[in-house]
Amino acid sequence: MKKLFILLFSFLTITASAEAPVEGGEFKPGDMITHHIADDYNWHFADGVTLYLPVILIDNGTPKVFSSSNFYDENHELVPYEGYMVSHGHIYRADANGQPAADQSSLIDISITKNVASLFLSVALLFAVFFTIAGSYKKNNGKAPRGIQSFFEPIIIFIRDEIAKANIGPKYERYMPYLLTVFFFIWFNNLLGLMPGGANLTGNIAVTLVLATLTLLITVFSGNKNYWKHIFATPGVPVWLAPIMIPVELIGIITKPFSLMVRLFANITAGHIIILSLFSLIFIFQSIAVGPLSVAFATFMNFLELFVALLQAYIFTLLSAMYFGGAVEEHDHVGDHGHGDGAHH
Amino acid sequence: MELVTPGIGLIFWQTVTFIIVLFLLSKFAWKPIMNALHERETSIENALSAAEKAKLEMQGLKAENEKLLAEARMERDKILKEASDAGNALVETARQKANEEGSRMIAQARESIENEKRAAITEVKNMAAALSVDIAERILRKELSNPQAQQELAKDYINEVTLN
C-alpha cells in the first residue's frame, strides 16, 4: 500500500511537466485542455514518453492494423500513412493532396486509443483487485475480512444494503452483479482519470452512453406488468389524456438514462477542465508568482475530484438501482392506484 | 461538439469490454463474495439467536430455581409450623392429662378421705354405742339391783308393746 502511494506521488511530480505546453510558441489553454480531455491515438505520459497505440481500421470490411507512430514524422508532425490521415483526432481516408477525401463511407475506426488502453488497464485492475478479494473470501471463509478485503467489504455491503435492497426491494439480488460492476468500474476509472497522464475515460460520452444504455436495457427488460401499465395506462389519469401521457412516459424512459449519461460525462470532464485551467493560469500569466496559488487551488480541486469520483459512481449506481426498482415494483394495494403513484418519477 | 459526439471505436470497445467484465466479475468475484457475505451473516445471525436462546433458557432456569427455592422455603416453614403445632398440641395434651390426673387424684383422695371419715365416724358411732351400751348395762345393773325398779321397767316395756 505504501509503495502504491509513493508511486502515486512520484507520478504527481511529473504532473507539472505533463501540463506544460509542449508544442512551443504561443500557449493556447483551450487547445491544451481539449487535447488532454479528448481521445488520442497515442498515450502521451510526459515529454518524450509517448506510447504509440495500435490503429485498427475496417475499410470496406477489410481489417487494417498498424501502429499510430506511422502518422507522425521525426518532428512529431502529422503525416498521412497508407492513404489514411489523422485530422482533429479522427482518422480519414486521405486524398492525393493530404486532405480528407470526399468519400469516407464504410471506414470504421476501432483503434486502441488512449481511452481504450486506459479501459483495458482499469479492467486489469478490476480483475486483479476483485479476484484477489474473491480468493480471500474463499480462504478465510466465515472469518473476519482482512487486508484489501476489509477495505472493499463495507463498500460492497453498502451497495447491497443501501442501494440495491433499499431501492429495488426483494428482487435486488438479480441486479447486484451489474450494480457492483458499474460502481467499481466508474469509480476506478474516475480515479485513473485523475492520475497524471491518465485518460479521461469516464468523461467520454461514448463510455457513459454505453453504461447508460445498459441501464436502460436492463430497466426495460425487467419491466413488469405494473411498469408497462404505468406507461401505457397511467393509473388515475383520464383516458382522454393518453395521447399526451403515453409519449411523455415513453420519452421518460429515454430521459432517465440520458441524464445518467450526461451527468457522469459532464461531471468528470468539468473536473478535468477546471484542474487544467488552474494550471493554465501559470502559463497565461507567465509568472512564477501565480504558481503557488494555482497549485493550491488545483490541489484543492484534486481532492474535490477524488470525492466527486466516488460520488458520481455512487449516483450512477443509485439511480440505476432506482430505475430497476421502478421496473420491478409490485403494487399490492389496489387502493393505491390513482394516488401516491407519481412519487417515483 | 467534438466532445459530445460519441466515437464508434470507443463505443465498440466499451460495450465488448464492459460486458466481458460484467460476466467475469459476476461469475468469479461477485458470486463468491456475495455468497461468502451471506453465509457469514447467516452464521452470525444464528450465533446471536442461539446466544439469545441460551440467555432465555438461563433465565428460565434461574426462575425455576427460584421457584424451587421458594417452594422449599415454604415447605420448610410449613414443616416448622407443623412441628411447632404438634409440640404445642403435645404439651397441651400433656397438660390436660396432668390436669385430669390431678383432678382425678384429688377426687380419689377426697373420696378416700370421705370413706375414711365415714369409717371413722362409724367406728366412733359404734364405739359410742358400745360405750353407751356398756354404760347403760352398768347403770342398769346398778339400777335393777332393787326389784321395784325391775317391775317398773317391765311395766313400761309392756305398755309400749301392747300398742302394736
Side-chain angles (χ1 to χ4, degrees):
Chain A
M1 213 54 191
K2 205 183 247 173
K3 269 185 203 157
L4 195 79
F5 278 121
I6 292 168
L7 196 74
L8 207 127
F9 280 113
S10 63
F11 263 121
L12 274 172
T13 54
I14 308 171
T15 320
S17 64
E19 310 299 346
V22 285
E23 284 81 16
E26 204 191 337
F27 174 64
K28 289 178 188 148
D31 289 355
M32 187 276 275
I33 291 169
T34 315
H35 173 75
H36 271 275
I37 59 174
D39 211 351
D40 206 348
Y41 291 100
N42 55 55
W43 200 338
H44 186 94
F45 295 101
D47 261 355
V49 188
T50 306
L51 181 68
Y52 290 100
L53 299 162
V55 171
I56 304 168
L57 297 173
I58 296 171
D59 194 352
N60 281 321
T62 329
K64 293 218 165 96
V65 180
F66 53 90
S67 166
S68 63
S69 64
N70 291 315
F71 283 126
Y72 298 91
D73 62 9
E74 59 273 16
N75 299 321
H76 209 75
E77 295 295 324
L78 284 167
V79 289
Y81 174 76
E82 282 189 354
Y84 303 106
M85 60 171 296
V86 176
S87 174
H88 294 99
H90 287 290
I91 292 179
Y92 299 100
R93 282 201 195 94
D95 60 12
N97 307 322
Q99 293 300 314
D103 173 34
Q104 298 293 348
S105 59
S106 59
L107 177 68
I108 301 167
D109 175 13
I110 52 164
S111 303
I112 308 296
T113 58
K114 182 175 156 186
N115 276 336
V116 178
S118 178
L119 168 71
F120 290 163
L121 187 71
S122 74
V123 167
L125 203 61
L126 278 168
F127 282 161
V129 168
F130 290 105
F131 289 164
T132 311
I133 293 176
S136 311
Y137 274 103
K138 274 189 199 128
K139 212 167 63 193
N140 350 322
N141 192 12
K143 294 197 193 108
R146 54 172 75 170
I148 195 168
Q149 192 190 355
S150 53
F151 177 76
F152 282 100
E153 186 178 301
I155 303 173
I156 294 172
I157 290 176
F158 178 81
I159 294 170
R160 187 193 62 183
D161 292 351
E162 304 300 322
I163 297 180
K165 263 189 205 170
N167 293 299
I168 301 176
K171 289 178 182 164
Y172 77 96
E173 240 161 301
R174 218 190 310 164
Y175 302 96
M176 277 311 288
Y178 177 73
L179 293 175
L180 285 167
T181 310
V182 90
F183 178 84
F184 287 111
F185 181 87
I186 294 172
W187 190 28
F188 275 41
N189 277 301
N190 284 349
L191 292 178
L192 281 177
L194 286 177
M195 299 270 278
N200 180 26
L201 184 72
T202 39
N204 189 298
I205 197 127
V207 171
T208 60
L209 170 76
V210 172
L211 293 176
T213 309
L214 284 173
T215 294
L216 168 70
L217 290 176
I218 296 173
T219 311
V220 169
F221 282 110
S222 48
N224 60 13
K225 206 177 69 196
N226 287 311
Y227 175 74
W228 293 113
K229 191 181 164 198
H230 203 272
I231 287 164
F232 290 108
T234 315
V237 174
V239 180
W240 58 269
L241 271 177
I244 305 168
M245 286 307 289
I246 291 171
V248 165
E249 291 282 351
L250 286 176
I251 291 166
I253 297 177
I254 307 295
T255 51
K256 283 173 189 170
F258 187 84
S259 73
L260 281 182
M261 171 182 86
V262 173
R263 184 181 298 108
L264 182 58
F265 154 76
N267 270 284
I268 302 306
T269 302
H272 283 231
I273 291 173
I274 291 170
I275 291 175
L276 291 167
S277 309
L278 286 167
F279 280 121
S280 299
L281 287 178
I282 303 174
F283 302 101
I284 292 167
F285 287 106
Q286 293 195 327
S287 155
I288 287 179
V290 186
L293 196 71
S294 239
V295 169
F297 274 112
T299 309
F300 169 73
M301 276 310 297
N302 243 313
F303 278 112
L304 193 67
E305 283 305 304
L306 279 176
F307 170 66
V308 169
L310 183 62
L311 184 73
Q312 288 305 320
Y314 166 68
I315 290 177
F316 196 101
T317 316
L318 177 74
L319 290 175
S320 294
M322 284 169 77
Y323 301 156
F324 300 159
V328 297
E329 198 180 12
E330 297 286 351
H331 293 280
D332 296 329
H333 325 285
V334 181
D336 191 37
H337 285 200
H339 46 87
D341 261 339
H344 46 77
H345 276 290
Chain B
M1 209 51 217
E2 165 67 34
L3 216 52
V4 289
T5 314
I8 289 290
L10 196 50
I11 290 179
F12 169 75
W13 286 113
Q14 166 69 15
T15 310
V16 170
T17 316
F18 191 83
I19 286 169
I20 293 171
V21 169
L22 182 60
F23 175 73
L24 289 179
L25 281 184
S26 307
K27 200 162 160 55
F28 299 113
W30 307 136
K31 206 173 149 196
I33 290 173
M34 296 305 289
N35 284 346
L37 281 177
H38 186 74
E39 240 167 67
R40 201 169 66 205
E41 271 160 17
T42 319
S43 86
I44 288 172
E45 220 161 89
N46 286 347
L48 279 178
S49 65
E52 189 65 23
K53 223 172 94 185
K55 207 173 115 190
L56 280 177
E57 255 168 38
M58 280 292 289
Q59 268 172 356
L61 226 63
K62 214 175 133 196
E64 206 164 312
N65 278 351
E66 243 150 52
K67 209 177 107 195
L68 274 176
L69 206 67
E71 264 172 23
R73 227 172 252 148
M74 242 160 68
E75 190 75 8
R76 187 196 63 184
D77 287 351
K78 210 174 98 188
I79 289 169
L80 273 178
K81 197 166 162 278
E82 266 174 12
S84 123
D85 281 358
N88 284 348
L90 214 67
V91 169
E92 193 60 33
T93 331
R95 186 183 291 145
Q96 231 164 357
K97 237 183 202 162
N99 278 352
E100 265 168 34
E101 189 72 10
S103 329
R104 200 174 56 82
M105 272 163 80
I106 289 168
Q108 230 169 25
R110 203 168 274 156
E111 202 178 340
S112 78
I113 286 169
E114 192 71 29
N115 286 349
E116 290 293 315
K117 199 174 105 187
R118 214 170 281 142
I121 288 171
T122 313
E123 208 180 292
V124 168
K125 273 183 186 165
N126 288 349
M127 207 176 267
L131 270 176
S132 313
V133 168
D134 199 29
I135 290 168
E137 199 182 64
R138 278 184 196 182
I139 293 171
L140 275 178
R141 212 169 274 164
K142 210 175 163 191
E143 290 263 324
L144 293 180
S145 41
N146 67 0
Q148 199 189 341
Q150 282 179 7
Q151 268 184 347
E152 248 176 70
L153 186 65
K155 233 195 227 169
D156 277 355
Y157 282 157
I158 288 164
N159 284 345
E160 272 171 38
V161 171
T162 49
L163 281 172
N164 292 333

